[in-house]
Structures are given as structure tokens and as C-alpha cells.
């Protein structure tokens, strides 16, 4: 059975060109870049090149890139660095729709270390209120951390505008750009961002490599302490294969940026319009106008997401869901809840996230097979638009 | 990705007995859209035998499979057998469920109970909670009775388990402390109330000290006067959870039927006034 992979916000296929590029570093080029011999030194030269490629995608200086092991490490490093560099500031501003890499860390800092955190809410389309951000910043705010693009809905936040506000108020600004990098243009020369996180496996590099951009002269406190790698900003012998791969993936991302925003977008739009038209009681979650070109989050009323996913899985289609049952928790996704998506729809949300490796045939196949799946599951369901949700005692308190 | 058994997958992909029964003798509706799963069960009973069962389920794969399994188990059973079914029977029939999904089997059991009550004319088809119960988890609308029963029937040992089986605690988390308390209460004292609407016993929810005082005063005020009337007496020696140790004095100590007194008088009184699980020993 063919695999139709539409779960690229979870992880992506390693581009074959990326794989080719990294291969020699597993075999003949296994030296340690810190070594004094030329055998190791030649690897160091290639790492430098990779760093420059990452910097080129973001339009920043190579020295401003610190390689890490993943997006989560970049996020953790950024927040903790800002807090440790400004010990007298005890307040963090972030949003309710961040990835757990930020959200769980903030909850932890709040609970264990007594920091105060402001979690900004969103409107029903998942949009932030700029005025609220302005109001949330206080003299003791150590960092504002707001994601560039949301992994579940694909919503893009006005990071240029938010970064300018933070700069004006003299507050460190970090953005989790894990979902944005490679999908939309980013220019760190013109956007006053202090720190930015990215993760290799979301842009066709392998898992286990990420990067953190730290603007020159921003006070920085390392998270991993040890050797002098990454100019003592992140200890540990470099993941050479991963870094080489990330460099190549960034180079390819520059080449494919237009394609992401034209061809991939067109596929996504065909899929989205087709599904919304073919399936009654389906709604789009998120900000229709300000979204990643590859993401579509659709809720199918009166059916549950896990059941839909498993039915699709039978046909080789991979996607994900914000339903309670798939999140491993019992509540539907925190992003959809922050948006106030009604329960009738929140449990039946499916996220399709495409990439340049998807084809028009993939989209046709989903358009053909998904409507009957929803129809069948609705036959099983005691609910429908006519016999709607019974009154419920339950209100998610948050 | 959940690890489902082949039987779960089979019952999810090919659910048996889907639909409604217009002439159902009993209907049970539990859960809601908000909670992420809901089940309506229809049963038809003839001459004390469940002759047909149908269901409609909103929920994940294991909720659908549990409902399908429930109907398969039910058909052909006597009403008595049906009454004795628990969530464990459903989980076993499916070759097991992931721990985090046990609440799906509990939902099946609840729907069955509701349908049976509805058949006997004791309840509407839709589950409503008796007013004696206390709402513990607001997020999922779970009452203390359900939680205590799940702890007892499934021998739950952690708060996480309670969440896996009843969903309580799986939302905002503000009820976790209450769940902790119920767990200690249920496990520490080894007593759980009978399901749903039956009145709870006097010592329920008491601390150990309060309970000891209650036992003492029942013996002083109710048991001793009876024995004294017969020229005997009783001394309270020890209390170890549900076991109460006493010593007979005077007439009673040589009375050959003292073991009857022990059971019929002392134990019966304590069970009535304190806790139905009490055992009285002489020592
Ligand atoms: C927005 C966002 N931030 C952070 C992460 C974490 O990245 P990683 O898996 O590389 O730790 C992800 C990945 O799911 C993400 O989508
Ligand atoms: S009240 Fe129980 S989880 Fe919110």
C-alpha cells in the first residue's frame, strides 16, 4: 500500500539530496572537528559551511547560529538564558497556543521556580491581540516568547510587529519558528528578534538536530555546560552528520521557498476546499488568511478524531488530530480550546500538513476516500446536526 | 499510536450490532460530545434473556470496539448474567485495552446499567446522577461514587489509574487533590460504597480516629446495655481497619453461644451503625 504522507508538521521526509550530503560523515569523514589533525579539521570546515547555509536562510550572521539537538532544546535554552541573564526579572509573556516545548517549560518555571507567566489568549480564529501583548509587558518582564507559526492550525503570527514592540519596550524577544522556517521567508536583518528556534526534522533534515539563533551582543547563558564547542554556548561534540544535513536542508529550503508558497499551497487549497465542500458539518480551524501554505486543520462534526485517523491509516493516509484520544490526554488540543472551538467539532479535528513531496494524486486520493469514512463514522455516532450534543455539565476550566 | 489488540481493531473496523432498536425494552445513554465519547445502548429482553442489543457510539477506536464487544457479550445472556457484567468483561473480551483507554470499557458498563435500570422502569434512559453523590471532577462530570467504585472493582492504585478508568483528573487537574483523598479513603479503609444510589454507610468518609470513636460509642450505647441486661459485659480490645477485637466479660465469657452473640448482636450492630464490612473477633 502506498503511503500518503500528510503529517509534515509532525516530521518530514529527509530530502534525498540531504541524505547524500550527510552520508560521508558517517563513513570516511568521521573525525572530530575540534581535533588538531587535518582529518578532523576538514570536518570543521564543512560545519562552518553548514552554519553559513543556515544563516543564509534566516539572513543573519553565521556566528549567531548555535547548533542544538532539537527544537525543544533551542526553546529551553532561549528561555532559560534570558531568565538567567536577568535574575531580577521574574515575569514571562507567552501564549496559550505555544508548543509544549515552551508551554510545559513555562508551567514548570511557574510552579517550581516561582516565575510569573502571562499566557495570552486568542480569538476564535486563533489570532492574537496586539494590544494585549503591549499590556502584558511589565518592567520585570524577562522575555516575551511567541511562536512564529502554530503547529496545529498553521496560523502565522505578526512576528515582525511583535518583535518591534518588544524592542521598543526593551524586552528580550524569542520566537519558536520551528514550523515557520523553510515554509515562509524569514529575515532577521530587518526583524528585531533576539532569539529564534528551529528544528531540522521539520524541514527535510533528520531528527536530532536543531538550531538557536542568538543575536550578537545579546547576553547569553548556556544550557549545556562543558567543552568549548559552539563557542562555549552549547557543549558536546557536534552532531556532524545532523549539522551537515541541516545546512543542506536550509540551502534547499531557499531554493524551494517559492514552491512551498505556490505549488504546495495550491495542493493544500485543493484538498481543503474539496473536503469542506464534500463533507457537510465540517469547518476550517485557524486564520484562513494568515496561515502556513502547507497546513489545513479541519473539524468534522459529530465524529471523533482518532477513529478518523485509524480509518485513514487503513488506507495508508497519515495525518494527525487534535482530539483528546490522540493527544494522549483526555482533552482536545489546547490550541483548539484556546480558540474556543465547540466540543462538537474539537474532538473531530484533523490536521493535514503537506510538503513538496506531495502530489496532486495524493490530494485526489484523500478527496476520494475521506468523505465515505466520515459518512460511515457518522452512521455509528449517536449525534448529528439534528440530534445534537446533549447538555453537558462539563466546561473545561482554564 | 495506541497498541490495540487485533480484536479491538476488528471490532472497530467491523463493528457488530450498530444502530437503534425501535422496540427496545431498555435504553442507556451515557457520556457526551464534550467528553469526547458517548454511547447509546439499546437492549431487547424476552423471557429473561437479552435477545438483541444495538449501539451508537461517538468516540475513538476503543470506544467503538468496547461498545461492539458489549453488544456481542450481551446477546443471549440472562438478565442476571447481564447485571453481573463489568468493564473488565468487556476489556477481557477484547483481549485487553491500553490502560489509558480503560474508561471506554467503563462507559460500556455504565450504559448497560442504565439500560437495565431503564428496562425495569427505575430510570430514564439518560444517566443522571443521584443527588447523594458529590461532583468531584467538573471537567468530566465525574462523581465520587463512580470513582470509588472504579477504584474498588479494578483495584486502582494511583490517581493516574483513576484518570485512565474514569477520566476524572484528565482536564484542568484541579480535582487531583480530591482524587488523592478518595484513593486514600478507599484503599486505606478498604471500603467502598455500593454503586450509585444506595445510601452510603455512616462511617464513609470518616478519618480513622472518627471511625474508632464511632465504634466505641456504638458498643457503649447500643451493645453493652443489651449484654448487661443478660448479666454480661463487653470490652473493646483493638480496632484494625475493618477488624474489631472484643472480649466478653462476666456471664457472656462462659456462655457457649457467645459466638452467636458476637455475630448477631455485636457485628450486626457495628455493620449497621458504622460500616457494612466490619468483622468482629474475640481475642
Ligand atoms: C512549534 C514547535 N515548536 C517546537 C517543536 C519541538 O521540536 P523538536 O521535536 O525538534 O524538539 C515542535 C515540534 O513538534 C513544534 O511544532
Ligand atoms: S475538575 Fe477534574 S480535571 Fe478539571
Amino acid at each position: 500500500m502506498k503511503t500518503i504522507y500528510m503529517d509534515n508538521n509532525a516530521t518530514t521526509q529527509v530530502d534525498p539530496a540531504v541524505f547524500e550530503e550527510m552520508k560521508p560523515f558517517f563513513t570516511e569523514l568521521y573525525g572530530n572537528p575540534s581535533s588538531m589533525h587535518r582529518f578532523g579539521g576538514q570536518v570543521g570546515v564543512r560545519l562552518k559551511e553548514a552554519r553559513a547555509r543556515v544563516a543564509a536562510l534566516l539572513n543573519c550572521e553565521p556566528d549567531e547560529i548555535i547548533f542544538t539537538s532539537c527544537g525543544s532544546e533551542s526553546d529551553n535554552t532561549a528561555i532559560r538564558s534570558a531568565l538567567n541573564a536577568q535574575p531580577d526579572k521574574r515575569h514571562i509573556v507567552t501564549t496559550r497556543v505555544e508548543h509544549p516545548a515552551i508551554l510545559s517549560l513555562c508551567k514548570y518555571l511557574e510552579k517550581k521556580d516561582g516565575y510569573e507567566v502571562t499566557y495570552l489568549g486568542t480569538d476564535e480564529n486563533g489570532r492574537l491581540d496586539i494590544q494585549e501583548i503591549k499590556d502584558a509587558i511589565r518592567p520585570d518582564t524577562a522575555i516575551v516568547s511567541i511562536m512564529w507559526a502554530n503547529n496545529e492550525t498553521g496560523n502565522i503570527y505578526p512576528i515582525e510587529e511583535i518583535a518591534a514592540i518588544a524592542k521598543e519596550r526593551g524586552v528580550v524577544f524569542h520566537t519558536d519558528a520551528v514550523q515557520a522556517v523553510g515554509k515562509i521567508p524569514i529575515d532577521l536583518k530587518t526583524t528585531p528578534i533576539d532569539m529564534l528556534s528551529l528544528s531540522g526534522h521539520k524541514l527535510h533534515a533528520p531528527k536530532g538536530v536543531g538550531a538557536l539563533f542568538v543575536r550578537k551582543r545579546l547576553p547569553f547563558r548556556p544550557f549545556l555546560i562543558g567543552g568549548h564547542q559552539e563557542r562555549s554556548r552549547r557543549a558536546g561534540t557536534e552532531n556532524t552528520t545532523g549539522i551537515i544535513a541541516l545546512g543542506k536542508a536550509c540551502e534547499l529550503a531557499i531554493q524551494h521557498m517559492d514552491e512551498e508558497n505556490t505549488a504546495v499551497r495550491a495542493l493544500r487549497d485543493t484538498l481543503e476546499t474539496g473536503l469542506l465542500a464534500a463533507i457537510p458539518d465540517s469547518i476550517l480551524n485557524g486564520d484562513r488568511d494568515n496561515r502556513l501554505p502547507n497546513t489545513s486543520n479541519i473539524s468534522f462534526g459529530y465524529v471523533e478524531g482518532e477513529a478518523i485517523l485509524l480509518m485513514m491509516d487503513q488506507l495508508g493516509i497519515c495525518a494527525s488530530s487534535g482530539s483528546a484520544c490522540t493527544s494522549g490526554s483526555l482533552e482536545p488540543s489546547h490550541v483548539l480550546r484556546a480558540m474556543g472551538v465547540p466540543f462538537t467539532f474539537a474532538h473531530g479535528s484533523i490536521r493535514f500538513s503537506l510538503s513538496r513531496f506531495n502530489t496532486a494524486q495524493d490530494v485526489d486520493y484523500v478527496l476520494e476516500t475521506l468523505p465515505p469514512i466520515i459518512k460511515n463514522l457518522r452512521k455509528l455516532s449517536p449525534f448529528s446536526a439534528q440530534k445534537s450534543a446533549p447538555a453537558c455539565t462539563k466546561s473545561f476550566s482554564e | 499510536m495506541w497498541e490495540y489488540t487485533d480484536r479491538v481493531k476488528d471490532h472497530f473496523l467491523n463493528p457488530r450490532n450498530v444502530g437503534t432498536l425501535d422496540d427496545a425494552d431498555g435504553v442507556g445513554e451515557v457520556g457526551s460530545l464534550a467528553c469526547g465519547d458517548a454511547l447509546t445502548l439499546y437492549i431487547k429482553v424476552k423471557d429473561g434473556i437479552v435477545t438483541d442489543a444495538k449501539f451508537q457510539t461517538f468516540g475513538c477506536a476503543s470506544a467503538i470496539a468496547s461498545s461492539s464487544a458489549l453488544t456481542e457479550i450481551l446477546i443471549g445472556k440472562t438478565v442476571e448474567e447481564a447485571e453481573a457484567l463489568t468493564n473488565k468483561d468487556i476489556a477481557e473480551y477484547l483481549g485487553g485495552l491500553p490502560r489509558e483507554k480503560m474508561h471506554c470499557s467503563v462507559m460500556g458498563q455504565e450504559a448497560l446499567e442504565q439500560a437495565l435500570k431503564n428496562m425495569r422502569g427505575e430510570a430514564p434512559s439518560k444517566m443522571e446522577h443521584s443527588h447523594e453523590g458529590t461532583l468531584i471532577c467538573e471537567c468530566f462530570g465525574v462523581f465520587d461514587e463512580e470513582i470509588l467504585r472504579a477504584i474498588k472493582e479494578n483495584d486502582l492504585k494511583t490517581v493516574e489509574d483513576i484518570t485512565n478508568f474514569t477520566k476524572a483528573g484528565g482536564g484542568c487537574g484541579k480535582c487531583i487533590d480530591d482524587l488523592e483523598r478518595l484513593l486514600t479513603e478507599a484503599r486505606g479503609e478498604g471500603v467502598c460504597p455500593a454503586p450509585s444510589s444506595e445510601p452510603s454507610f455512616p462511617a464513609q468518609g470518616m478519618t480513622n480516629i472518627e471511625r474508632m470513636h464511632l465504634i466505641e460509642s456504638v458498643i457503649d450505647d447500643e451493645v453493652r446495655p443489651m449484654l448487661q441486661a443478660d448479666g454480661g459485659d463487653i470490652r473493646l480490645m483493638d480496632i484494625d481497619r475493618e477488624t474489631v477485637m472484643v472480649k466478653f466479660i462476666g456471664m457472656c465469657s462462659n456462655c457457649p453461644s457467645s459466638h452467636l452473640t458476637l455475630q448477631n448482636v455485636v457485628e450486626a450492630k457495628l455493620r449497621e451503625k458504622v460500616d457494612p464490612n466490619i468483622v468482629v473477633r474475640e481475642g
Side-chain angles (χ1 to χ4, degrees):
Chain A
M1 186 173 44
K2 188 172 181 268
T3 297
I4 310 283
Y5 190 76
M6 296 198 176
D7 203 9
N8 287 278
N9 287 10
T11 198
T12 60
Q13 176 189 342
V14 173
D15 191 299
V18 168
F19 185 50
E20 281 310 314
E21 188 99 354
M22 68 193 289
K23 261 194 213 161
F25 294 84
F26 282 111
T27 51
E28 57 278 19
L29 295 174
Y30 58 82
N32 187 326
S34 304
S35 298
M36 278 303 121
H37 39 72
R38 274 173 300 159
F39 182 67
Q42 64 182 335
V43 179
V45 174
R46 300 294 300 276
L47 290 191
K48 211 168 149 187
E49 185 185 295
R51 200 181 301 277
R53 284 170 163 178
V54 177
L57 176 62
L58 305 176
N59 196 19
C60 66
E61 298 299 321
D63 280 356
E64 292 174 317
I65 297 296
I66 301 172
F67 288 113
T68 65
S69 68
C70 59
S72 303
E73 186 193 325
S74 302
D75 284 345
N76 275 259
T77 305
I79 301 270
R80 288 198 182 268
S81 167
L83 296 178
N84 292 338
Q86 313 166 83
D88 50 323
K89 298 195 173 173
R90 309 280 304 168
H91 178 237
I92 302 168
V93 176
T94 186
T95 77
R96 282 180 63 187
V97 295
E98 297 299 311
H99 186 273
I102 292 289
L103 219 44
S104 303
L105 172 65
C106 286
K107 295 250 155 81
Y108 177 94
L109 290 167
E110 212 174 10
K111 211 167 164 171
K112 293 279 198 294
D113 299 337
Y115 284 94
E116 260 188 82
V117 184
T118 302
Y119 301 95
L120 301 164
T122 73
D123 69 6
E124 71 276 14
N125 293 317
R127 285 180 297 226
L128 295 168
D129 180 346
I130 294 290
Q131 188 56 45
E132 250 181 67
I133 302 173
K134 286 184 185 159
D135 294 345
I137 297 175
R138 320 190 305 211
D140 66 335
T141 303
I143 183 168
V144 175
S145 176
I146 295 178
M147 68 198 327
W148 200 311
N150 185 272
N151 44 308
E152 293 191 26
T153 56
N155 274 12
I156 297 173
Y157 295 105
I159 292 305
E160 290 90 349
E161 193 179 347
I162 300 169
I165 293 169
K167 185 182 164 80
E168 187 193 308
R169 304 282 293 271
V171 181
V172 174
F173 179 67
H174 165 254
T175 183
D176 174 344
V178 166
Q179 293 293 347
V181 172
K183 296 186 188 122
I184 54 173
I186 285 176
D187 185 348
L188 290 170
K189 284 265 153 38
T190 57
T191 317
I193 291 167
D194 294 304
M195 291 185 278
L196 174 148
S197 306
L198 66 94
S199 175
H201 71 108
K202 309 285 186 184
L203 68 152
H204 306 291
K207 293 143 193 76
V209 64
L212 177 66
F213 156 84
V214 181
R215 192 171 291 280
K216 237 181 213 134
R217 284 185 285 279
L218 181 78
F220 181 81
R221 299 288 179 276
F223 187 51
L224 273 191
I225 294 170
H228 58 270
Q229 295 88 352
E230 301 298 300
R231 298 192 297 133
S232 297
R233 298 180 148 213
R234 199 273 188 187
T237 298
E238 295 85 344
N239 169 10
T240 53
T241 47
I243 293 170
I244 296 295
L246 180 56
K248 183 66 183 175
C250 286
E251 186 187 75
L252 293 176
I254 298 174
Q255 290 165 21
H256 290 287
M257 190 62 75
D258 283 342
E259 185 185 344
E260 290 283 343
N261 289 280
T262 51
V264 177
R265 182 188 295 272
L267 288 179
R268 190 273 314 265
D269 288 347
T270 310
L271 177 71
E272 182 172 290
T273 340
L275 289 176
L276 290 171
I279 302 174
D281 294 313
S282 53
I283 56 167
L284 180 71
N285 297 314
D287 184 352
R288 193 180 285 269
D289 306 321
N290 263 309
R291 263 184 313 155
L292 293 174
N294 77 321
T295 309
S296 183
N297 188 315
I298 303 180
S299 278
F300 304 102
Y302 318 110
V303 283
E304 198 278 333
E306 185 201 284
I308 304 172
L309 286 185
L310 293 188
M311 289 289 182
M312 292 204 295
D313 184 55
Q314 292 293 309
L315 301 170
I317 305 169
C318 311
S320 57
S321 166
S323 90
C325 288
T326 54
S327 60
S329 89
L330 291 166
E331 296 191 321
S333 116
H334 67 285
V335 176
L336 299 184
R337 274 186 294 139
M339 291 160 58
V341 174
F343 285 114
T344 33
F345 286 93
H347 286 289
S349 81
I350 300 290
R351 176 190 70 187
F352 301 93
S353 46
L354 282 60
S355 80
R356 57 179 187 257
F357 293 102
N358 284 115
T359 62
Q361 285 77 16
D362 291 351
V363 169
D364 288 344
Y365 184 68
V366 176
L367 283 176
E368 204 174 295
T369 52
L370 188 53
I373 289 178
I374 303 292
K375 204 167 167 188
N376 282 335
L377 285 172
R378 281 185 178 158
K379 271 193 217 140
L380 280 182
S381 172
F383 306 124
S384 66
Q386 289 76 42
K387 186 179 182 295
S388 193
C392 187
T393 53
K394 287 138 227 195
S395 58
F396 289 105
S397 7
E398 204 174 336
Chain B
M1 181 115 208
W2 301 110
E3 299 228 343
Y4 288 132
T5 63
D6 288 341
R7 283 206 81 143
V8 172
K9 284 185 214 154
D10 177 37
H11 276 263
F12 164 61
L13 294 171
N14 313 294
R16 332 285 202 265
N17 310 307
V18 174
T20 60
L21 285 177
D22 288 337
D23 55 349
D25 296 302
V27 180
E29 281 177 66
V30 297
S32 79
L33 262 175
C35 311
D37 43 27
L39 160 60
T40 309
L41 177 72
Y42 300 83
I43 54 172
K44 184 97 199 106
V45 174
K46 198 160 176 247
D47 303 329
I49 308 262
V50 181
T51 54
D52 202 1
K54 290 235 184 293
F55 80 92
Q56 284 186 311
T57 291
F58 163 80
C60 58
S62 55
I64 291 170
S66 294
S67 314
S68 168
L70 171 65
T71 56
E72 286 285 279
I73 297 171
L74 269 179
I75 297 173
K77 288 263 186 308
T78 65
V79 170
E80 289 73 39
E81 287 166 336
E83 278 164 349
L85 288 177
T86 71
N87 68 296
K88 278 198 237 174
D89 297 306
I90 298 173
E92 266 163 35
Y93 183 89
L94 290 169
L97 282 172
R99 196 101 180 136
E100 295 83 352
K101 294 285 189 169
M102 285 301 286
H103 58 84
C104 296
S105 65
V106 173
M107 179 168 78
Q109 179 185 7
E110 285 175 355
L112 173 60
E113 272 168 13
Q114 196 65 24
L116 290 168
K117 271 194 210 159
N118 176 247
M119 178 187 81
R120 292 191 295 260
E122 294 166 13
S125 63
K126 177 114 190 72
M127 177 134 109
E128 271 164 29
H129 285 279
S130 61
H131 294 289
E132 281 108 293
T134 317
L135 180 65
I136 299 289
C137 179
E138 287 170 26
C139 288
F140 290 102
V142 192
F143 285 68
D144 55 352
E145 304 154 347
E146 293 163 70
I147 296 167
L148 287 167
R149 186 167 70 153
I151 296 174
K152 184 178 174 180
E153 287 186 353
N154 297 286
D155 192 24
L156 305 184
K157 298 196 169 63
T158 61
V159 168
E160 209 179 338
D161 269 347
I162 298 182
T163 308
N164 289 339
F165 280 71
T166 67
K167 291 190 163 194
C172 68
K174 76 172 182 220
C175 62
I176 299 281
D177 285 348
D178 287 328
L179 298 181
E180 208 87 68
R181 178 176 55 75
L182 287 176
L183 196 63
T184 343
E185 208 172 285
R187 297 197 60 82
E189 303 188 345
V191 289
C192 290
S196 60
S197 57
E198 275 171 44
S200 46
F201 54 88
Q204 189 190 354
M206 282 191 177
T207 67
N208 264 331
I209 301 288
E210 288 168 339
R211 210 159 147 277
M212 286 183 194
H213 283 308
L214 183 62
I215 292 172
E216 227 175 342
S217 66
V218 170
I219 288 182
D220 284 345
D221 303 339
E222 314 234 20
V223 178
R224 180 162 296 119
M226 277 201 274
L227 301 185
Q228 283 172 342
D230 288 327
D233 205 344
I234 189 170
R235 214 156 95 201
L236 180 61
M237 306 300 288
D238 199 1
I239 303 171
D240 182 12
R241 296 180 191 279
E242 286 150 5
T243 312
V244 177
M245 307 284 271
V246 297
K247 206 177 173 78
F248 287 111
I249 338 179
M251 288 289 279
C252 295
S253 58
N254 333 324
C255 173
S257 61
S258 68
H259 70 278
L260 287 179
T261 314
L262 195 72
Q263 278 174 5
N264 296 348
V265 179
V266 189
E267 205 173 67
K269 264 286 170 237
L270 288 175
R271 285 184 176 186
E272 179 202 334
K273 299 279 174 178
V274 184
D275 176 341
N277 292 311
I278 280 185
V279 181
V280 181
R281 294 240 164 74
E282 209 180 345

